[in-house]
Amino acid sequence: GLEEAVRSKSSLQASVESAELLLIKQVEAEYKKSFERETRQMVMRAAKQRAETAAQVESCLRYRFALRSELLRILTELWDKLRQWHEKLCKKYSEAIRQLKSGKRKMEEHLRSAEQKLRFIEEKKATTQ
């Protein structure tokens, strides 16, 4: 009886230890499985987020390029208009200067003519006295 009880106790203890080892292995396997699954999910979320970010960056770059093209077009139009305006203004300014010089010459000619007539009248007046 006592020997059998000791053997039974030892057998029971070995069974308990074996069951504990199996349970530990099962818990480790479950942990490893859930860890791998969560890691895969995190990697997938990170990849999806990276793809979304890349798409947003690409969209921003396209928008920036479109804005830059539009700004360049507007600046080119403005430059052309300013150049045309400058040319017109320079022509008007040059024409105004030419007219002023011409007017000055005519006034100087009239002045000389008037001075000559005045001298002629003064000389005639002096000779008739």
Side-chain angles (χ1 to χ4, degrees):
L2 185 62
E3 233 178 81
E4 202 175 307
V6 169
R7 264 196 308 255
S8 177
K9 182 182 173 191
S10 293
S11 172
L12 187 60
Q13 200 171 11
S15 292
V16 167
E17 287 174 5
S18 175
E20 282 178 347
L21 283 174
L22 281 173
L23 185 60
I24 288 172
K25 285 183 181 178
Q26 185 180 1
V27 166
E28 285 176 348
E30 283 294 318
Y31 176 79
K32 185 177 177 185
K33 188 177 174 183
S34 69
F35 178 79
E36 288 173 353
R37 184 178 63 243
E38 287 176 19
T39 302
R40 248 191 326 274
Q41 287 174 350
M42 286 174 62
V43 167
M44 293 299 286
R45 278 194 301 258
K48 182 180 176 185
Q49 206 163 18
R50 183 176 180 202
E52 288 172 359
T53 302
Q56 288 173 348
V57 167
E58 187 176 329
S59 175
C60 286
L61 287 174
R62 273 196 304 267
Y63 182 67
R64 181 178 174 220
F65 180 77
L67 285 177
R68 187 176 178 189
S69 296
E70 182 67 11
L71 180 61
L72 185 60
R73 185 189 64 74
I74 290 169
L75 288 174
T76 302
E77 284 179 13
L78 181 61
W79 173 253
D80 290 341
K81 287 178 183 177
L82 283 173
R83 192 172 27 85
Q84 291 170 3
W85 176 76
H86 178 72
E87 289 171 3
K88 286 179 186 177
L89 199 61
C90 285
K91 284 179 186 176
K92 285 181 180 181
Y93 180 72
S94 296
E95 179 62 23
I97 289 174
R98 190 189 63 73
Q99 287 177 357
L100 284 171
K101 286 180 179 179
S102 174
K104 182 182 175 189
R105 273 193 307 275
K106 286 179 184 176
M107 286 184 60
E108 287 172 348
E109 288 172 13
H110 288 309
L111 181 61
R112 274 194 298 275
S113 175
E115 286 174 345
Q116 285 175 352
K117 286 180 185 178
L118 188 59
R119 267 186 257 134
F120 177 74
I121 293 171
E122 285 175 354
E123 286 173 6
K124 200 173 187 184
K125 195 176 184 186
T127 55
T128 55
Q129 287 177 350

